[in-house]
Amino acid sequence: MLSFNLLVSICIIYVIFLFGVAAFAERQAEKNKLSFLTSPIVYTLSISVYCTAWTFYGAVGYAAQNGLEFLTIYLGPTLLFIGWWWLLRKLVHIGRKQRITSIADLISSRYGKSNSLGVIVTLLAVVGSTPYIALQLQSLTLSFAVFTSNSANSASPAITALFTAAGLAVFTIVFGTRNLDANEQHHGVVTAIAVEAIVKLVALVTVGIFVVWGVADGPSDIMTRISEKLPQNEALFTPRWVTLIFLSGTAIICLPRMFQVVVVENSAEKHLATASWAFPLYMLLMCLFVLPIAVAGLDILPEGSNPDLFVLTVPLAVGQEELAALAFLGGFSSATSMVIVAAIALSTMVSNHIVLPLWLYVAQSRNPESDDVRSVLLRSRRISIAGILGLGYLYYIFTGGTTALASIGLIAFVGVAQILPVLLGGLFWSNATKSGAIVGLISGFILWIYTLFLPSFDGGFILTKDVLNNGLFGLNALRPQALFGLNIDDPLIHAVFWSLSINTISFITISLLTTQKSLEQLQAVQFINVFEHTSSNRTSRQIATPEDLFILSQRILGRQETTKLFNNIAEAQGKKSGLPDPTGAFIETLEKEFSGSVGAATAHAMIGQITGSDSVSVEELIAVADETAQIMEYSARLERQSKELSKTANELRKANEKLTQLSQQKDDFLSQVSHELRTPMTSIRSFSEILKNEETIDSEKLNHFSSIINDESKRLTRLLDEILDLSFLESGRIKLNLVPTTLSDILDKAISATQQIAEEKDALIISEPKAQNIQLITDPDRLSQVFINLITNSIKYTNTRKPEIKINCIDHEHYLDISVLDNGPGIPETEQELIFEKFSRLNTKPATGGVGLGLPISLEIMQNLGGELRCLSVLSGAEFRVNLPKYPIVDNN
Amino acid sequence: MSKPSSSINKKRAKRKIKELAFILPALGVFFFLTPFINTIITSDTSTDIRELLYYIFGAWALLILGAYSLSRKLTNEGDKE
C-alpha cells in the first residue's frame, strides 16, 4: 500500500510541476508569445474544469447507484455547446466588448452598472459555490483516506481537509493574484488547468481500459456485466432527467468558474467553434468508462464500499498500486483545478463588487486616485480566496463529509441557476429592469436557501430537524421540502420548481411594473444588439484633467500599462507628445480598461467620481432609441425620399414635355427655314438661268430680273444674319457699344425704320412725348433693334383694320419701364412664355413671313443690356414691357 | 445574368448554415429531452440497458460530428459578420 508520506510527496511534486507550467506560461505571456497559450485547444481543455472530482469520483458512484442518470450532467453542457452560435457566442461577444470580469460583473453591467446587483450575484455565487468547494475537499480527503486507512500515522479527515484547503489557497493566491491583469485573463493558471485536464482524462481512461481488459474479458463481457449489475431505468424521460439536463446546461454559464473560463479567459470568439465539438468530445471520453468502472467496483469490492471511490479502490483491490496512484493524481487534478478557478472567479467578484465599492464609499471624501487601488484589490482578492476556501471547509465539517458527492454538486447547481432568468432576460429582453432583476434574484436565492441549501445540513445548521419535518413556526405549509403542501418526492425538483418559478415570475412582473433608467436603457441596447450596435462615443462632459486620469489609471492598471495606453491614445489623437486630451471617447476607453480590472460598476463609479458626473449623454440616449424608433426614422426618411423622387419625376416630366414641344418647334422651324431658303433660291436660280440662256434679252427685263435676284439675295442674307446674331447673343460673345444717348433718338430710329410697314398696314404709332428727353447710357443700335422688332411684331400680328401702337415710358430713378401696346387680339397667357423661345411662332397666327427669331433676339439683347423683356396680360391687345437700366450695371465678376 | 443568381445562392447557403446551427441543438433536445428516449427502452421486452447505452453514446457522437463539420463554416460566417 502507498504510504501517506509518498502520496503527499507525489502531490507536492505535482504541484511544483504545475507551478513550473504556470510560471512558464506567464513568462511566455509577458514576452507576448501567446500563440500556444491562446490556442483553441488550451481554451477547450480549460473549459474541462467543468469535470471536477464530482466527475472523476462522483460520476462512478452516481452510476453505481442511479444507473444512466449521471449522463445528464454532461448532456446539458453538450446541448449548450453544440448550439453555441445562439447563446454562448453572444455571451462571449458581450464579455469581450464590455470587458466583463465575472458573471456578477455581467449582470451588474447589463442592468445599468448597478453595484447592488453585483453584490447580490456575488453573495449568491459565493454561497452557491461553497458546497461545490466542499465537495472537492471531501473527495480529496476521501482519496487520501483510501491510501492511509490502515496506516498508523494517518491524519483525521478534518485535518487532511484543512491542510488541503490551506494548500489550495496558497497555490491560488500565488498564481491567481500575482498581478492585476488588464482584462482579468490568467494565462499561467489557464495553462496549468489545461495540463490538469489532460492528466485527469488520461488517468480515468487508463483506469477504464484496465477495467475493461484487465478486470473483465473485454467490451462484450463488461457490457453483459453492466446489463446485469447496474440499476435498470424503467423510463429515462422523467421530471428528474429533464431537470438535471436543464441544471447542468445552466451550470455551464452560471457557475462562476465556468463563466470565468468560457467568457473571461476567451481570447478569440472562434475558439468557441472548436470548443463546440471538442468539449462535448472530452466529456464523452470522460463518461465512456464510468459504467465499466462502476460495474467492476460492484463486482469485485465488498458490499457497502463507497462507490464514489471505485476509481481508486478497484485498481487497489487487484493490486495495481501504480494505477491507483495515477487515478489519485487524476482525482487530485480534478479537485484542484476546480478550486483554483472557482476561488479566482469568486475572489474577483468579492473584491470588485463588495470590497472596492466599500472602500470607495469610505474614501468618498477624497479622490480614488489618492490611494493605491491596485494594492487594495490584490489584498482583498487574497483574503477572499482564503475566505472562500474557509467557507468550503466549514461546509464540509458541518455536513460531516459523508454525503454523496453528486448530491452536493446538485445543490450548487440549483443555487447558481438562480442567475439564469436574469441573465437570459438581460441578453434577450430589452424591458428587463434592475428592480426586476434584484427582486427575482433575491426571491430565488431565499427559496433555494430554504428549500435545498439549509436542509442539506440535515438539521445541523440553522434549520432544525423539527423545522424540516413540521415547517417553520410549526406551520405545515412552510415545510422546506413540501412548501405550501406541494409534495414532490424529489427535494431537488421541489427546490428547482419553487425557486426558479418564483424567481422568473417576480423578475418579469417587477420589470413590467418598473421603468429603466437611462443608463439601463443604454446598456440594454448595447447587450441585446451587441452584434449590430457600435458603442456610442460619449460627449466630453468631464471636468477632469488628463493628469487626474493618468494618476487614477496608474493606480488601477499599473504604471507601465497606463503609459502604454495613454501613449497609444495620444498618438491616435494626433499628438506627438504629452497626455491625450480627455475626450468622451478617451474616457469611455479608459472606463472599459478599468472594467477589466475592477468590474463595470466600480469602473463607472470611479470615472463618474473623477469626471464629476455619471449622467448619460445625449448621444448615448440617441443610441438607446429602440428598433421601433429606428424603423420609424427609416420610414420617414424613405417617405421623404419618395416625395423628393416624385417631385423630381414631375419636374423631369415637365422638362420632357417642354423639350418635346421645343423639338417640334425646331422641326417646324427647320421646315420653315428650308422653305424660306428654297423660295428665294428658286427665284435666284430661275432668273439667273434665264439671263444665262437668253442672249437677246432686252434691258428692261434684264433690270427687272437682276433686281429680283438682288432682293432675294438680300432676304437670304438677312435670314442668315438673324440666326448668326442670335447665336452670338446667346454665347455672350457680342460686344456692346455703350454710349450716352436719349430715349427719343432710339425710339425715332425705330419708328422711322418701321415707317414703311406701318404705312403698308395703315398703322398708327403713338410715342409718349414726356419720354423723349430721358438720358441714358446704352447701345443705341441694339436697343433700336429691340423696339423695331416689337413694333414690327405689333403691326404684323394686329389684324384690325387700323392697327394702333402706343409707346409709353415710366421713368424710375435708376431704370425705365417702356411698354409697347397694341390693339390686336393679344397673346394667350399659356403662350406668353413660349413666344420668347427660339424658332417659336404662335400656332394660331397666320404666316407672317418671319422666322420666329425676332423676340428671342430682343430678349437676348435686353439681358445683355442688363434689363429684361416681358409679355404682360392686358384687357385688350398685347403689351411688351422693356425694363432697362439707365446706366450700365458694373458686374464685379 | 450569372452574378445575381450566384449572390442569391451564396445568401441561401449562408442562411442554411445558420439554420443548421439551430437544428443541431434542436436534434439534441429531440434525442435526449423528449419521451422518444423512452421508446428505446420499451421497444425491447428485456429492457436491456445496453441498447440504451448504444443509443445515447451514438446520438452523442453524432451531435459531436455535426458540431465538428459545422464549426468551420460558422467560424467563417462569424468572421464575415
Side-chain angles (χ1 to χ4, degrees):
Chain A
M1 179 71 83
L2 289 166
S3 70
F4 180 78
N5 289 343
L6 184 62
L7 272 183
V8 172
S9 307
I10 289 174
C11 290
I12 290 172
I13 291 167
Y14 182 66
V15 168
I16 291 170
F17 166 69
L18 286 180
F19 262 114
V21 170
F24 172 75
E26 289 283 336
R27 265 204 303 278
Q28 293 293 101
E30 277 165 21
K31 289 179 195 167
N32 272 332
K33 290 181 179 173
L34 293 164
S35 55
F36 175 71
L37 305 179
T38 56
S39 74
I41 296 299
V42 171
Y43 176 65
T44 306
L45 287 172
S46 71
I47 295 174
S48 57
V49 73
Y50 178 73
C51 300
T52 64
W54 174 5
T55 300
F56 199 85
Y57 295 121
V60 175
Y62 202 166
Q65 287 165 340
N66 301 78
L68 296 181
E69 201 174 278
F70 80 98
L71 287 169
T72 53
I73 307 305
Y74 311 97
L75 291 178
T78 297
L79 293 180
L80 211 75
F81 264 83
I82 58 170
W84 66 283
W85 184 259
W86 302 103
L87 178 64
L88 291 177
R89 189 174 72 109
K90 189 169 191 179
L91 205 56
V92 168
H93 195 78
I94 290 171
R96 291 169 62 76
K97 211 167 179 182
Q98 299 278 329
R99 301 183 72 84
I100 298 296
T101 58
S102 64
I103 188 155
D105 191 26
L106 180 98
I107 301 292
S108 139
S109 185
R110 159 61 180 84
Y111 294 96
K113 305 188 180 180
S114 149
N115 200 53
S116 39
L117 260 176
V119 172
I120 293 168
V121 177
T122 301
L123 287 176
L124 181 62
V126 169
V127 181
S129 298
T130 300
Y132 219 138
I133 290 170
L135 185 159
Q136 313 305 319
L137 294 179
Q138 183 177 324
S139 68
L140 282 173
T141 310
L142 284 172
S143 63
F144 270 113
V146 167
F147 290 98
T148 59
S149 54
N150 300 323
S151 169
N153 60 351
S154 62
S156 75
I159 299 293
T160 312
L162 183 64
F163 276 108
T164 313
L168 285 171
V170 170
F171 184 86
T172 312
I173 287 168
V174 170
F175 264 95
T177 61
R178 265 178 62 189
N179 48 26
L180 274 177
D181 296 291
N183 52 3
E184 275 309 326
Q185 289 188 336
H186 308 80
H187 296 296
V189 174
V190 167
T191 314
I193 300 303
V195 170
E196 291 201 284
I198 297 170
V199 171
K200 63 192 177 195
L201 180 65
V202 168
L204 196 64
V205 169
T206 311
V207 174
I209 290 171
F210 170 74
V211 164
V212 174
W213 281 278
V215 178
D217 293 332
S220 59
D221 179 37
I222 207 81
M223 288 307 281
T224 313
R225 291 187 194 202
I226 286 172
S227 170
E228 287 166 358
K229 286 272 177 183
L230 280 186
Q232 303 292 311
N233 301 77
E234 282 178 14
L236 272 187
F237 186 74
T238 58
R240 186 172 171 84
W241 174 267
V242 176
T243 306
L244 291 179
I245 291 184
F246 166 74
L247 283 178
S248 60
T250 302
I252 208 80
I253 48 172
C254 291
L255 278 173
R257 74 169 195 284
M258 293 317 299
F259 189 89
Q260 176 78 28
V261 288
V262 174
V263 179
V264 182
E265 304 286 355
N266 177 286
S267 53
E269 278 170 48
K270 60 184 175 187
H271 290 177
L272 260 182
T274 307
S276 72
W277 59 268
F279 177 55
L281 180 65
Y282 184 95
M283 289 189 293
L284 186 141
L285 292 174
M286 287 293 275
C287 291
L288 208 54
F289 293 103
V290 166
L291 287 175
I293 298 169
V295 81
L298 290 173
D299 243 0
I300 61 172
L301 291 170
E303 212 168 311
S305 303
N306 186 352
D308 280 340
L309 294 170
F310 281 176
V311 180
L312 288 178
T313 47
V314 168
L316 280 177
V318 290
Q320 292 289 332
E321 290 198 353
E322 293 81 5
L323 190 60
L326 179 66
F328 172 80
L329 211 55
F332 185 76
S333 290
S334 310
T336 50
S337 56
M338 181 271 160
V339 173
I340 290 165
V341 182
I344 289 173
L346 291 170
S347 70
T348 305
M349 288 157 73
V350 170
S351 66
N352 286 0
H353 296 285
I354 297 176
V355 179
L356 206 58
L358 273 177
W359 175 82
L360 269 179
Y361 178 75
V362 172
Q364 208 169 23
S365 54
R366 57 184 193 272
N367 265 346
E369 65 199 74
S370 58
D371 284 283
D372 195 342
V373 180
R374 289 167 65 78
S375 69
V376 173
L377 270 179
L378 281 176
R379 223 176 303 140
S380 69
R381 282 187 195 178
R382 285 167 186 159
I383 295 168
S384 306
I385 288 171
I388 287 155
L389 278 156
L391 281 176
Y393 176 72
L394 285 178
Y395 187 92
Y396 167 75
I397 296 295
F398 271 107
T399 51
T402 53
T403 320
L405 297 178
S407 57
I408 305 175
L410 287 173
I411 292 167
F413 272 20
V414 182
V416 294
Q418 302 309 320
I419 303 170
L420 187 73
V422 170
L423 177 72
L424 291 183
L427 293 184
F428 299 102
W429 186 33
S430 58
N431 287 334
T433 66
K434 182 181 101 176
S435 313
I438 289 176
V439 176
L441 275 173
I442 290 178
S443 55
F445 186 40
I446 291 171
L447 281 163
W448 168 69
I449 292 265
Y450 188 67
T451 57
L452 198 66
F453 181 75
L454 291 178
S456 74
F457 294 97
D458 202 21
F461 184 63
I462 300 181
L463 294 186
T464 59
K465 283 207 171 182
D466 181 51
V467 173
L468 289 179
N469 293 331
N470 303 316
L472 200 61
F473 315 121
L475 291 170
N476 212 30
L478 293 182
R479 274 187 298 159
Q481 295 183 326
L483 211 55
F484 302 114
L486 182 70
N487 274 313
I488 297 176
D489 290 338
D490 191 335
L492 184 86
I493 300 174
H494 174 265
V496 168
F497 170 77
W498 278 117
S499 61
L500 277 176
S501 53
I502 298 296
N503 177 343
T504 310
I505 290 168
S506 44
F507 168 54
I508 294 172
T509 312
I510 302 296
S511 287
L512 291 174
L513 292 175
T514 52
T515 48
Q516 291 174 324
K517 286 183 181 166
S518 47
L519 193 56
E520 278 180 76
Q521 287 178 32
L522 172 72
Q523 289 298 95
V525 171
Q526 296 211 335
F527 271 58
I528 290 165
N529 304 330
V530 69
F531 292 110
E532 296 89 32
H533 206 271
T534 49
S535 171
S536 64
N537 278 343
R538 203 166 283 191
T539 47
S540 184
R541 54 180 165 77
Q542 75 298 327
I543 51 167
T545 63
E547 288 76 19
D548 291 337
L549 293 169
F550 187 81
I551 294 166
L552 175 64
S553 174
Q554 202 176 292
R555 300 285 180 195
I556 298 169
L557 303 175
R559 190 174 181 81
Q560 210 179 345
E561 190 74 27
T562 298
T563 313
K564 201 170 132 193
L565 176 72
F566 275 57
N567 281 345
N568 287 344
I569 291 171
E571 207 172 296
Q573 287 181 355
K575 295 184 85 175
K576 286 184 180 168
S577 61
L579 293 170
D581 296 329
T583 59
F586 169 44
I587 289 176
E588 196 174 8
T589 310
L590 206 57
E591 188 179 317
K592 278 195 179 158
E593 290 290 331
F594 288 1
S595 302
S597 289
V598 296
T602 311
H604 187 69
M606 287 177 125
I607 290 282
Q609 205 168 326
I610 200 166
T611 57
S613 161
D614 63 350
S615 61
V616 178
S617 69
V618 176
E619 279 76 5
E620 286 170 332
L621 282 176
I622 290 168
V624 173
D626 60 12
E627 280 175 28
T628 318
Q630 286 179 17
I631 288 166
M632 279 171 69
E633 194 190 318
Y634 285 138
S635 159
R637 207 181 297 163
L638 274 176
E639 205 174 316
R640 210 163 44 237
Q641 282 176 347
S642 164
K643 274 182 187 166
E644 279 169 11
L645 277 174
S646 145
K647 196 180 159 193
T648 313
N650 209 22
E651 282 169 2
L652 280 172
R653 202 176 302 118
K654 279 182 182 167
N656 190 37
E657 276 170 14
K658 200 173 175 184
L659 278 173
T660 315
Q661 209 174 0
L662 284 174
S663 168
Q664 182 62 39
Q665 285 169 6
K666 197 170 183 174
D667 288 347
D668 292 348
F669 166 77
L670 283 174
S671 155
Q672 178 73 18
V673 166
S674 309
H675 177 73
E676 293 289 331
L677 287 174
R678 198 179 173 81
T679 312
M681 284 302 287
T682 311
S683 301
I684 292 167
R685 204 183 68 197
S686 307
F687 287 111
S688 56
E689 271 178 7
I690 292 170
L691 291 176
K692 188 185 165 193
N693 296 333
E694 287 196 20
E695 290 171 1
T696 56
I697 193 165
D698 60 35
S699 62
E700 194 185 339
K701 276 187 178 175
L702 180 69
N703 276 340
H704 179 62
F705 293 158
S706 303
S707 67
I708 289 172
I709 291 172
N710 185 43
D711 287 347
E712 293 301 314
S713 302
K714 278 182 183 169
R715 200 170 136 195
L716 266 177
T717 313
R718 198 170 58 244
L719 178 65
L720 294 172
D721 279 349
E722 276 189 9
I723 293 172
L724 205 60
D725 199 21
L726 184 62
S727 162
F728 263 91
L729 283 164
E730 276 186 337
S731 65
R733 284 180 291 166
I734 194 84
K735 197 168 180 185
L736 296 169
N737 180 28
L738 299 174
V739 290
T741 183
T742 58
L743 183 61
S744 59
D745 287 347
I746 292 162
L747 289 177
D748 288 349
K749 195 174 169 186
I751 291 166
S752 59
T754 54
Q755 195 62 44
Q756 193 185 348
I757 187 171
E759 281 173 7
E760 280 171 14
K761 296 260 294 189
D762 196 20
L764 178 63
I765 302 169
I766 307 161
S767 178
E768 199 181 351
K770 67 177 179 183
Q772 301 300 309
N773 296 317
I774 296 168
Q775 298 286 322
L776 66 159
I777 297 174
T778 188
D779 185 330
D781 291 338
R782 286 291 176 183
L783 192 56
S784 301
Q785 192 183 347
V786 173
F787 287 111
I788 291 168
N789 271 331
L790 293 177
I791 294 165
T792 311
N793 276 353
S794 295
I795 296 169
K796 273 186 193 170
Y797 289 100
T798 304
N799 50 7
T800 51
R801 196 169 287 175
K802 194 169 175 63
E804 200 174 282
I805 319 298
K806 282 185 186 167
I807 302 172
N808 296 323
C809 176
I810 303 169
D811 184 9
H812 299 282
E813 191 181 352
H814 297 294
Y815 63 94
L816 301 170
D817 270 333
I818 308 153
S819 60
V820 178
L821 184 69
D822 62 41
N823 60 344
I827 299 165
E829 238 176 273
T830 50
E831 295 187 351
Q832 284 179 1
E833 270 187 36
L834 199 64
I835 53 171
F836 289 104
E837 300 290 347
K838 279 181 289 182
F839 318 122
S840 83
R841 285 182 305 174
L842 297 184
N843 297 329
T844 51
K845 297 294 168 193
T848 53
V851 290
L853 288 177
L855 280 177
I857 289 174
S858 302
L859 181 66
E860 286 295 332
I861 291 171
M862 286 316 300
Q863 282 171 352
N864 277 279
L865 289 172
E868 55 184 34
L869 174 62
R870 286 175 294 153
C871 175
L872 303 176
S873 298
V874 286
L875 289 173
S876 62
E879 180 183 350
F880 285 88
R881 182 164 293 175
V882 174
N883 179 280
L884 176 72
K886 287 182 183 174
Y887 309 103
I889 295 164
V890 180
D891 188 353
N892 290 329
N893 293 324
Chain B
M1 283 304 283
S2 65
K3 274 186 181 172
S5 69
S6 77
S7 116
I8 290 168
N9 286 341
K10 272 183 190 171
K11 278 184 186 168
R12 199 170 290 164
K14 274 184 191 174
R15 213 168 40 231
K16 205 176 268 181
I17 291 169
K18 287 182 185 174
E19 281 161 4
L20 278 171
F22 176 75
I23 282 171
L24 214 54
L27 259 181
V29 168
F30 175 77
F31 285 150
F32 303 128
L33 272 172
T34 60
F36 177 71
I37 200 167
N38 287 346
T39 61
I40 309 295
I41 302 172
T42 51
S43 65
D44 195 332
T45 47
S46 65
T47 62
D48 195 338
I49 196 173
R50 282 179 292 188
E51 285 186 9
L52 200 54
L53 264 180
Y54 294 141
Y55 169 77
I56 292 176
F57 278 92
W60 198 349
L62 211 66
L63 290 174
I64 292 169
L65 275 176
Y68 173 74
S69 56
L70 257 184
S71 65
R72 185 159 298 189
K73 288 172 186 169
L74 284 171
T75 311
N76 292 340
E77 281 308 298
D79 288 346
K80 279 175 202 168
E81 280 181 17

